[in-house]
Structure formats: C-alpha cells, structure tokens
C-alpha cells in the first residue's frame, strides 16, 4: 500500500501551489525511471548518431525542435505526477446530515475513507484516497488521473507521441539519405571500374567505397555497429511507445468529449456531452502549455470554499 506524502513547498512557487502531491509507490517509481531512461537515451542517440551533434544548420534546427518536444513532454509529466489530482480531504468532507437534501443526493459514502464524497469521486487503493472525477491510476505518472491533472496527462501523452513520431521520422530520413548516398557511390564505382584501365586506380576506388556503410554517410566510421544497434533499438521503442501513446490520446479525448471517465465507462454509465475547455479553459496557447487553466482554478477554489 502506497503512502500519501504532502511535501510543503517553501521555495519558488513553481507549481502555483504551497504543496506538492507525491505518491510513494515503488512500482510507480520504476515506471517513471523506465520512461525517463527511454526518453533521454533516444534523445542522446538522435543527438549523436542521427543529427551529428547539430553541425549543419538544418540539423541544428531539427535538434531545437526535438529538444522542445522532449522538454514539453517532461514538464507535462512532472505536472501530472506532482499535482494533486483532486483528493477529497477528510477535514473538508461534511457529514451527510449537515447538508441539504439536494447535496445529499449528489454524494456517496466511501467505506474505506469512512466519509461522504462527491458522486463522481472514486477511491484509489494505490493513493489510498478518494479522487474527484478519477479516470484511472497511471503508473507511468505515478499518480491518479483526476480532475486537476487530467490536462497535464493529456499533454504528456500528446507530446510523447509527437516526440516518438519525430524520432522515427529522423531515423528513417537518415537511413534513406545515407542509403541513397551509399548507392550513388557504388554506381560511381561501377562507372569508374568500366572506364578506368589502370588496375591500381580501380582497386583503390573499390576499397575506399567498399568499406562505407549505408549508416555512415558521408564517410565510413568505426562506430557503424554501435550506430546500427542504437538506431534500430530506439526506432523499435519509438514505434511501440508511439502506438501506445496515440491510443491513450484518442481514448482520453474521446472520454472528455463524452464527459465520462474510464471507471464510469467500465461501470456502464451513460455517456453525455463534454468539451476540452472544461479542463483546458477557453481555446488559447495555454491549451498546449502545462499550466493550470484559470477556469479550473476558479472552480477548485469555489469547491473548496463550499466545503469549509
């Protein structure tokens, strides 16, 4: 059973909150380590083997784009992991007898927390708490996906998919470009072989081109074996995680548009009509930045005020 840790933030208010929510779960920490290892290793492979340290102007611009994608993915992940998903605090949960009839009908009783909670709140056994509009507990962010961090989770899977797609595109483009260069050199070698009568010149040209690999343009390298292994492994992981994140992204968007959570869907609740603006606010650039929406922040303050 994981324990709930409330860490008081006394330094820079980076998350616009005086507290950071963190779940102490070994399985969650292991998944986080795997996720960061894959993201950072893929970035290193692209930086060293695919973009050649950004020497050319085009490679430098692609490197900046890739850096922006991974920074947005990591920042969204941190916000989803360290933000209170909407935990119903026992100190603010009023007994049913103290509420009017209308409020009573909108509450349910949690036997594990031994308190009344909002109707759409569900108990998470990993977090050991009831979470408002809980969608599911995600080990990859080591947190529940609930009312106040669902936007961050949505951005995390979106930017992770874009990052995986970018890595796959860069590797495929690199292989295609180098293969074309490799084939062009062999065509020049064959023409040189047919037109040159000097055996020494032909042998020299053949040996200088035969050592070149399709993965080592514009010149041969002793790191071809490591390059091939790293690029192949990162491309395979990119395909796997890209497919996983695009499925998660489509599922989350579909659930939000139907105003239903994963738990409610499994229980057979009727689907309604929702909007992304409920979590992200009015459409603006803030939709694509891992920052809290003013609309949701006002709603949170209103809910907390009503429960005091």
């Amino acid at each position: 059973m994981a324990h709930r840790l409330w860490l008081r933030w006394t330094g820079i208010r980076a998350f616009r909150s005086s507290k950071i929510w963190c779940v102490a779960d070994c399985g969650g920490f292991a998944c986080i380590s795997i996720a960061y290892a894959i993201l950072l290793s893929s970035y290193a492979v692209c930086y060293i083997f695919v973009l050649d340290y950004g020497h050319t102007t085009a490679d430098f611009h692609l490197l900046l784009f890739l850096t922006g994608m991974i920074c947005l993915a990591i920042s969204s992940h941190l916000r989803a992991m360290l933000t209170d998903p909407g935990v119903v605090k026992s100190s603010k949960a009023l007994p049913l007898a103290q509420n009017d009839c209308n409020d009573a009908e909108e509450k349910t009783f949690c036997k594990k927390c031994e308190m009344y909670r909002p109707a759409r709140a569900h108990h998470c056994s990993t977090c050991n708490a009831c979470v408002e509009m809980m969608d599911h507990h995600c080990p990859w962010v080591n947190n529940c996906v609930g009312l106040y961090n669902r936007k961050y989770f949505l951005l995390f899977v979106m930017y992770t998919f874009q990052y995986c797609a970018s890595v796959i595109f860069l590797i495929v483009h690199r292989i295609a470009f180098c293969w074309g260069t490799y084939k062009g050199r062999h065509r020049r070698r064959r023409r040189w072989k047919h037109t040159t009568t000097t055996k020494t010149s032909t042998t020299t040209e053949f040996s200088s081109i035969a050592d070149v690999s399709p993965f080592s343009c514009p010149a041969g390298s002793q790191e071809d074996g490591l390059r091939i292994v790293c690029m192949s492994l990162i491309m395979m992981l990119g395909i796997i995680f890209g497919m996983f994140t695009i499925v998660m992204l489509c599922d989350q968007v579909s659930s939000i548009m139907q105003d239903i959570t994963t738990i409610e869907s499994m229980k057979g609740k009727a689907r309604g009509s929702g909007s992304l603006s409920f979590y992200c606010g009015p459409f603006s650039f803030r939709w694509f930045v891992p920052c809290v929406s003013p609309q949701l922040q006002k709603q949170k303050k209103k809910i907390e005020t009503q429960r005091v």
Side-chain angles (χ1 to χ4, degrees):
M1 181 69 66
H3 301 283
R4 289 173 291 169
L5 298 179
W6 286 97
L7 306 179
R8 185 169 298 277
W9 186 269
T10 58
I12 301 175
R13 301 168 70 86
F15 297 93
R16 298 185 181 182
S17 176
S18 60
K19 296 177 181 179
I20 296 178
W21 169 263
C22 179
V23 179
D25 182 34
C26 295
F29 289 143
C31 291
I32 293 173
S33 302
I34 294 174
Y36 279 106
I38 293 175
L39 286 174
L40 297 178
S41 61
S42 62
Y43 181 82
V45 168
C46 289
Y47 176 70
I48 297 173
F49 295 124
V50 180
L51 298 177
D52 289 332
Y53 302 96
H55 284 164
T56 65
T57 304
D59 288 344
F60 178 73
H61 290 161
L62 290 173
L63 184 62
L64 286 180
F65 174 78
L66 205 64
T67 304
M69 285 293 100
I70 193 174
C71 287
L72 286 171
I74 291 177
S75 59
S76 300
H77 180 271
L78 291 175
R79 291 301 301 266
M81 178 177 64
L82 300 176
T83 299
D84 177 7
V87 174
V88 181
K89 302 175 181 61
S90 57
S91 60
K92 295 184 179 181
L94 299 177
L96 187 61
Q98 299 182 16
N99 295 277
D100 54 28
C101 297
N102 294 331
D103 292 337
E105 294 176 356
E106 298 176 358
K107 293 182 179 294
T108 57
F109 184 78
C110 178
K111 297 181 180 179
K112 296 181 180 179
C113 296
E114 296 183 349
M115 67 177 186
Y116 289 94
R117 62 191 180 187
R120 301 189 68 179
H122 299 278
H123 185 86
C124 176
S125 58
T126 304
C127 297
N128 192 27
C130 290
V131 180
E132 294 188 52
M133 295 186 67
M134 174 182 170
D135 187 79
H136 67 288
H137 183 91
C138 180
W140 294 105
V141 297
N142 191 32
N143 199 1
C144 283
V145 179
L147 177 62
Y148 300 124
N149 69 339
R150 197 172 188 181
K151 172 191 173 181
Y152 308 138
F153 180 77
L154 191 68
L155 290 176
F156 167 63
V157 295
M158 181 184 73
Y159 285 126
T160 302
F161 167 72
Q162 292 181 354
Y163 175 76
C164 292
S166 301
V167 169
I168 294 172
F169 171 78
L170 290 176
I171 293 178
V172 171
H173 181 269
R174 172 78 178 187
I175 295 175
F177 177 76
C178 293
W179 180 259
T181 305
Y182 176 72
K183 297 294 290 184
R185 287 172 179 166
H186 274 268
R187 285 195 295 269
R188 290 195 299 271
R189 177 185 62 81
R190 288 195 296 268
R191 289 197 299 267
W192 179 270
K193 184 176 181 180
H194 287 296
T195 58
T196 304
T197 56
T198 305
K199 183 177 180 180
T200 304
S201 301
T202 305
T203 305
T204 302
E205 177 70 13
F206 176 79
S207 61
S208 64
I209 296 177
D211 295 335
V212 177
S213 165
F215 292 88
S216 60
C217 65
S221 173
Q222 296 179 354
E223 301 177 350
D224 286 346
L226 179 62
R227 184 190 299 266
I228 295 172
V229 171
C230 291
M231 290 175 62
S232 301
L233 179 61
I234 293 303
M235 186 172 180
M236 180 182 65
L237 291 175
I239 293 174
I240 294 174
F241 277 85
M243 294 177 62
F244 174 74
T245 50
I246 190 61
V247 170
M248 286 294 299
L249 179 62
C250 294
D251 178 70
Q252 285 294 308
V253 173
S254 175
S255 298
I256 292 174
M257 297 304 294
Q258 296 174 351
D259 190 25
I260 194 172
T261 64
T262 301
I263 296 178
E264 293 171 347
S265 178
M266 294 174 62
K267 291 183 177 180
K269 181 181 176 181
R271 304 177 186 272
S273 177
S275 174
L276 289 172
S277 60
F278 178 78
Y279 295 95
C280 305
F283 181 77
S284 65
F285 74 95
R286 299 174 70 95
W287 273 37
F288 309 100
V289 180
C291 61
V292 63
S293 70
Q295 179 179 352
L296 200 60
Q297 192 173 21
K298 293 179 181 178
Q299 180 181 355
K300 181 178 180 180
K301 291 182 179 179
K302 182 179 178 181
I303 293 176
E304 291 181 350
T305 303
Q306 291 175 350
R307 291 177 183 171
V308 174

